[in-house]
Every structure is written in structure tokens, then in C-alpha cells.
Amino acid sequence: MNVLELDDVSRSFGGVEAVRGLSLTLGEGQVLGFLGTNGAGKTTTIKMLLGLLRPTGGTVKVFGEDPAVAATRRRIGYMPETAYYYPYLNARELLMFYGGMCGMDKAVIRRRTDELLEAVDLTDAAKRPLKTYSKGMLQRAGIAQALLADPDLLVLDEPFTGLDPLARIHFRELLKRLRAAGKTIFFSSHELGETELLCDRVAIMKKGRCFYDGPVSRLAGDGTENLERIFLDVLAKEDVK
Amino acid sequence: MRLFLRQVKALVKLSLLELWRRNDIVALVVLAIALLVPLSSAKPFGAAGATRYMDEVALLLIWAYSVFISLGAGARLFPGEFESRTIYPLLAKPVSRGALVVGKYLGAVVASWSALTFFYLLYALASGCRTGVWLPGELLQAFVLHAAFCAVAVATALLGSLLLTNSANLTLSAGLLVSMFFFGRRLPEYADGLAAPLAWLVKGAYAVAPHVEFFDLRQRVLHGWGGIEPLVLVAALAYGLCYSAALVALARWALGRKEL
């Protein structure tokens, strides 16, 4: 069964079409890099995947269900591009709060909190208020909250933003472990290098439309091309049209 | 149901932590101690009238604090989430918008009640030291009805926060509640003196406005008139509950319409 199914999805705001006729599927265990320039419609698409926005046309299904139904989102972990998490909480309290929102047992939340704080290297800062965190630390707290309920589908919006090189390496390793564990990952990014390293497939968006959807291996198959070149090529071709 | 209760519990805890970790609330509490204790425990010149006057100021201060805290707690529930963009990871969890509105509302109400309980205990302690009467029945009733007022005030600010800008919401909500508190009782009398279309307008406004004056028992506490009839108390509480529920339902509708 497909984890994600977008069928001819459109979304407009007033007269502006942010996403136009987008069709996309993602199978279990796949990692999809969702690329595009600023304003390409990536975040709008992610909001529709999470049921935060209703499409104006087409259908969105996650695990075969409508993501606008709260129960569907039990299996989704979402990390936003930027969120300034509750400044008066510390990282442990933040995860306890989100665990409560997922309906998890207290003991399970505690265990997962310890594991995840360790995984994102925030154990030492776990009792500090989030208002004292750097952007990278907030990003790591965001990763932890997304993984808290051990979701089957991870939706990550620009996950590498604000991470220092070491945190980036750790996060990349974490994503590889999640991929190896069979998790499905959908992530939007401007980081072509990271995308190439992590993804099985890429979809390239521009002006609300998807111009490329295919495996990374096909892109770099002859060893001469990299994702950056293909990305620029896809966008340039469309400009000519 | 279990999931809903856990979500509500998490949201209530979040609101309590937010309220008591904010610097402005700590300042307010210090100010309350500094003002309420001397006001409600003092016996100026041993004159009963002067003591009652000090008590009246103390109770009015509690009302002013509760308006500030309840409106502040209700008004920041959703704008704060939108500004910090935490609304997205929050709504990405398996929580319905209805549960979110109810949970956040209850959280802000419980947080306001915690502050109100503190102020009333402070007042009861200080005035008890002076009079030797620790918890007169009318003070308990005054506290219960004041708590109902807080529930209405939080709901008013919550709805306003989803329809108006923060400053407009605070100004209008505070204006509405304070006007009704002081002048609500006189509105029908005032309407009777007006010409037909305007009188209907004032009477219409009277019908839909929150009757926070129902929750004010200060005069009974000050003059020791005793409590109100239990049936009247229950009716006032039922009114507060229904009014708050209607505002929360409207807030749920407003959140559903809001573009994320």
C-alpha cells in the first residue's frame, strides 16, 4: 500500500494557485526528497499532507485515509522548518507535552524522551528553558518531537536548516538509521547534497507544479551528473517553455 | 475519550506552566501581596466604615487582577501558537481542532482559577486575621461566582483572539466586560428611556452581552449580608457555563475557518 497518495492536487489562495495538478505517490520505506525554489509550493503541499490545509482540487491520502481526520495523523511525525517552541518549557517538558498530545502513556513518553534527547544530543541541555536554545538546538528539539511517537511516516520541512556541521552529520546518520528501520520519509529541502545522500527519489517543484519525479540513481546514473546539475537543468528547461 | 482527556491534561499543564513562569504574573503576585494584605488586614482609626472601604478596594483589586489574568490567558492562546509557528507541529499531532480549542480553553481557565484561588486565600487570610471569621459563606460563594466570571472572560478573549488583532481583542473584551460589570444592571432601565429603534438595539445588546454583573457578590461580602439562595447560585453558574460553551463553540468555528 502506498503511504502517500496525491492525486491531481491543487490548492489556491485567492486567485493564486500555489499547487497545480500535483500527483505523487510514496511507498513504504521510501525516502523522497521534495525539492524546489522558494515559493514552489513545497510547504503548501506539506500542509495538505498533514491535513492542515484542504486541497481545492484533487485528493490527498495518507495510509489510505484523509489526513484531516485526527486519527490518521497518529502515524505521522512532522518537523516544521522553523518553530520557536514554547520558550518557558525545557526540552524534557516539551516532549512530555507533545507525548500527551499524541495520547502516549507517561512511562512510554519518559523512555522515548530519554532516548531521543540522547539521539539529538540535548541530554545536557534538557532542563534549560527553550528560550536559551540556539536555532540549531531548537531544530534538534523539533526533530525529537517529530520522532516521539515512533511514527511510520516522517514529514520534514527543511530539516537541515540551522544545524551546524556536526549536528548535520548526526542528523544524517539518524535519518539513515530510520530509513534502515523501514520508516517512510518525505522531506523538503534546499540542500541538494543532503538530498542526494539520503533519498531514493526526488520530486522537483516549480511554481506549484512538479517537473521531475524519479529515482536519484537515475539522475546520477552515468557518474557525470549530480543532483544540482539536474535540478538547475529541470528549472531552466521550464523557463524556456 | 482517553486520548481526548490526555490531550486536555497536557494542554492544561502547558497553560499552568506558562502562566506561573511569566515574569508579569510574578510581578502581579508580588504586587497583590503588597496591596491586598495591608488593605484587607488594616483597621484604620478603628472605624468600621473605613475598614469596609479598604476591604472594598481590596476586592476590587482582585477583580481587576482577574480581568487582567483571564483576558491575558485567553487572548494569547492561539496568537502565540501562530506567531511562534508551533500551531503546525501541534495540529500535526492526532488532535482535532475541537479538542485543541477545548483543551486550550480549559487550560487557560484552570490557570486563571489558580491565580484567583491565590488572591482569595490571601484576602481571606488577611481579613480573617482582622475579624476572626475565616471563611464566611458569602466569601465562598463570591469566589465560586468569580471563578465563573473567569471562565466567561477567558472564553470572550479566546473567541476575540481568533477574529481580531491582539490589541483590538484585549481592548474590546476588557471594555465589554468592565462596562457590563459596572453598568450592566442599568441597561434595561436606560433602554426604557430611549426612543423605539434605539431602545430595541440596547435591549438586544443587553440580551447577548455577557452578564458578568451576575457574578459580583462584593457588596454581600463587605456588608455581611449573607449568601445568596442556592438556586440563584446554580442559575448564575449555569448561565456562565452555557455562555462560555457558546463562545468556545464559536471559537472552534473561527479556528476551522482560519487559514493555516
Side-chain angles (χ1 to χ4, degrees):
Chain A
M1 186 183 75
N2 283 323
V3 172
L4 279 184
E5 278 181 45
L6 285 89
D7 184 21
D8 198 21
V9 170
S10 302
R11 172 71 208 199
S12 10
F13 297 95
V16 182
E17 271 200 308
V19 175
R20 286 184 283 173
L22 176 64
S23 293
L24 204 65
T25 57
L26 187 61
E28 219 171 303
Q30 284 191 334
V31 181
L32 176 81
F34 199 50
L35 305 176
T37 50
N38 287 330
K42 301 191 298 293
T43 300
T44 303
T45 305
I46 285 178
K47 284 180 182 172
M48 288 192 285
L49 288 181
L50 298 168
L52 302 178
L53 280 179
R54 287 270 186 196
T56 41
T59 54
V60 178
K61 297 255 170 161
V62 179
F63 299 107
E65 306 283 340
D66 180 0
V69 176
T72 310
R73 297 193 295 271
R74 277 172 195 266
R75 297 172 69 188
I76 306 176
Y78 168 61
M79 178 195 167
E81 181 183 357
T82 38
Y84 301 97
Y85 298 100
Y86 311 98
Y88 42 85
L89 297 186
N90 61 41
R92 190 171 291 281
E93 288 165 342
L94 179 79
L95 295 183
M96 293 298 287
F97 166 66
Y98 280 125
M101 295 312 290
C102 293
M104 295 163 69
D105 281 327
K106 226 175 196 171
V108 179
I109 303 174
R110 284 212 181 95
R111 180 176 55 76
R112 288 290 294 160
T113 297
D114 289 338
E115 285 170 10
L116 288 166
L117 288 174
E118 185 71 38
V120 298
D121 198 22
L122 282 177
T123 307
D124 292 341
K127 288 187 176 167
R128 267 172 51 191
L130 295 173
K131 65 183 169 196
T132 65
Y133 277 26
S134 66
K135 196 179 176 199
M137 289 168 86
L138 282 175
Q139 197 76 343
R140 283 185 274 151
I143 295 162
Q145 66 79 23
L147 293 171
L148 190 64
D150 195 19
D152 295 314
L153 168 66
L154 266 173
V155 179
L156 311 171
D157 196 358
E158 304 285 352
F160 292 98
T161 308
L163 295 182
D164 61 44
L166 191 64
R168 198 175 270 251
I169 292 166
H170 282 159
F171 185 48
R172 194 190 303 142
E173 292 308 313
L174 180 66
L175 286 183
K176 281 180 180 170
R177 283 202 301 276
L178 290 166
R179 185 173 66 176
K183 304 287 181 194
T184 309
I185 304 173
F186 179 101
F187 82 88
S188 82
S189 184
H190 293 298
E191 308 275 345
L192 300 181
E194 299 292 354
T195 308
E196 203 165 3
L197 281 170
L198 284 165
C199 296
D200 308 310
R201 263 173 64 203
V202 288
I204 302 175
M205 297 279 289
K206 188 184 174 186
K207 291 180 184 168
R209 290 173 64 193
C210 181
F211 286 102
Y212 181 88
D213 177 11
V216 173
S217 54
R218 196 170 91 204
L219 284 174
D222 61 1
T224 57
E225 292 191 303
N226 61 23
L227 184 55
E228 187 177 288
R229 197 159 153 191
I230 298 296
F231 180 70
L232 292 172
D233 206 26
V234 167
L235 298 186
K237 271 182 194 161
E238 173 51 24
D239 279 340
V240 172
K241 281 179 195 173
Chain B
M1 193 61 187
R2 206 167 147 204
L3 173 67
F4 174 74
L5 289 176
R6 277 188 180 158
Q7 288 169 338
V8 168
K9 198 174 147 196
L11 289 163
V12 168
K13 197 175 167 193
L14 181 78
S15 294
L16 278 170
L17 286 173
E18 185 194 7
L19 182 80
W20 291 107
R21 284 183 183 172
R22 268 167 41 201
N23 292 338
D24 53 344
I25 296 301
V26 175
L28 196 67
V29 165
V30 172
L31 195 68
I33 295 170
L35 289 173
L36 283 180
V37 173
L39 278 171
S40 45
S41 60
K43 287 186 197 172
F45 318 116
T51 307
R52 215 167 24 240
Y53 179 71
M54 302 286 260
D55 260 356
E56 186 166 5
V57 175
L59 283 174
L60 198 62
L61 268 178
I62 295 179
W63 272 89
Y65 290 155
S66 72
V67 170
F68 178 80
I69 290 176
S70 304
L71 289 185
R76 74 177 72 215
L77 287 176
F78 281 97
E81 295 281 355
F82 281 103
E83 277 161 32
S84 59
R85 305 174 72 85
T86 43
I87 190 77
Y88 303 114
L90 190 54
L91 280 175
K93 303 289 180 216
V95 60
S96 67
R97 291 185 194 201
L100 188 63
V101 170
V102 171
K104 280 200 153 277
Y105 167 71
L106 289 178
V109 169
V110 171
S112 304
W113 284 352
S114 70
L116 190 71
T117 308
F118 172 79
F119 294 140
Y120 267 86
L121 281 177
L122 207 62
Y123 174 84
L125 197 71
S127 68
C129 283
R130 189 191 62 213
T131 59
V133 182
W134 292 99
L135 269 180
E138 59 265 32
L139 188 63
L140 271 177
Q141 284 190 345
F143 168 72
V144 171
L145 286 178
H146 200 155
F149 162 80
C150 289
V152 173
V154 170
T156 307
L158 167 65
L159 175 62
S161 74
L162 291 165
L163 300 171
L164 304 163
T165 61
N166 201 31
S167 50
N169 176 30
L170 285 174
T171 309
L172 283 178
S173 300
L176 178 68
L177 294 177
V178 172
S179 317
M180 286 305 289
F181 183 78
F182 287 113
F183 309 114
R185 285 184 183 92
R186 299 198 179 101
L187 270 183
E189 206 180 300
Y190 173 68
D192 287 342
L194 294 170
L198 204 58
W200 295 338
L201 204 69
V202 175
K203 281 180 181 169
Y206 181 76
V208 293
H211 289 282
V212 291
E213 72 275 15
F214 293 171
F215 308 123
D216 176 21
L217 289 191
R218 282 175 307 135
Q219 295 308 315
R220 285 183 174 270
V221 174
L222 290 171
H223 299 285
W225 290 342
I228 51 173
E229 290 296 319
L231 200 65
V232 178
L233 180 77
V234 171
L237 290 177
Y239 168 77
L241 185 72
C242 294
Y243 201 90
S244 303
L247 292 179
V248 171
L250 283 172
R252 162 64 188 90
W253 167 80
L255 181 66
R257 286 176 57 88
K258 210 163 173 71
E259 201 73 81
L260 290 171

